[in-house]
Amino acid sequence: MDYKNLFEKFDGGGKLLLPDAMTCFKAVSWSKHPAFEGVELKHIITSEKTGGQFSFHLVRIAPNKKIGNHIHEKQLETHEVISGTGVCVNNGTELSYEPGVISIFPIGVPHEVIAGRDGLYLFAKFMPALC
């Protein structure tokens, strides 16, 4: 399977369908991560639309860049690897990231993500919402 193409389908043709609205992913702008160089986010749905219950984000990490070690004090976070490869350190344990992998970070668990030479593309979810 062409996983790079799968991410492009999410990014360019993906849709969030709700009973009262539809959001086309291509209409949502990429934004630079405020703390980590080479990391961009596409905020698919945020607390504004979910009453703070959850948020969903596409994440694009440039080749050999990383989301440094950090903790979310209030959110459970999940990653679904769509494309690319890399490594995630989840509570001190190194996990291989490749398409099809899902990782879960309970509240207060330290974690970081390091993209491989071909970059890394994730679908990240936060409960309650990150933003």
Side-chain angles (χ1 to χ4, degrees):
M1 174 176 256
D2 182 359
Y3 291 103
K4 178 76 171 172
N5 189 37
L6 179 60
F7 182 78
E8 290 169 358
K9 285 184 179 185
F10 271 97
D11 185 28
K15 297 177 192 126
L16 173 65
L17 301 176
L18 301 170
D20 60 346
M22 177 182 75
T23 301
C24 293
F25 294 177
K26 68 181 172 184
V28 179
S29 299
W30 285 101
S31 59
K32 293 184 185 289
H33 193 288
F36 303 115
E37 179 186 341
V39 178
E40 295 178 293
L41 306 164
K42 190 174 269 208
H43 305 296
I44 302 303
I45 190 165
T46 62
S47 63
E48 177 184 342
K49 300 268 185 185
T50 68
Q53 293 182 41
F54 60 90
S55 61
F56 290 1
H57 315 265
L58 285 178
V59 181
R60 181 166 60 188
I61 308 171
N64 304 309
K65 296 294 184 179
K66 69 179 183 176
I67 298 173
N69 194 40
H70 65 286
I71 294 173
H72 297 283
E73 296 289 347
K74 297 180 180 178
Q75 292 91 8
L76 175 134
E77 179 179 1
T78 67
H79 290 167
E80 297 170 27
V81 181
I82 299 170
S83 179
T85 59
V87 172
C88 173
V89 181
N90 183 340
N91 203 24
T93 300
E94 191 171 294
L95 307 171
S96 180
Y97 264 19
E98 59 187 34
V101 168
I102 296 174
S103 193
I104 300 170
F105 314 95
I107 294 169
V109 169
H111 56 283
E112 69 179 318
V113 180
I114 305 147
R117 66 178 183 204
D118 51 350
L120 190 57
Y121 305 87
L122 310 171
F123 190 34
K125 301 172 184 175
F126 293 86
M127 290 146 269
L130 181 64
C131 62

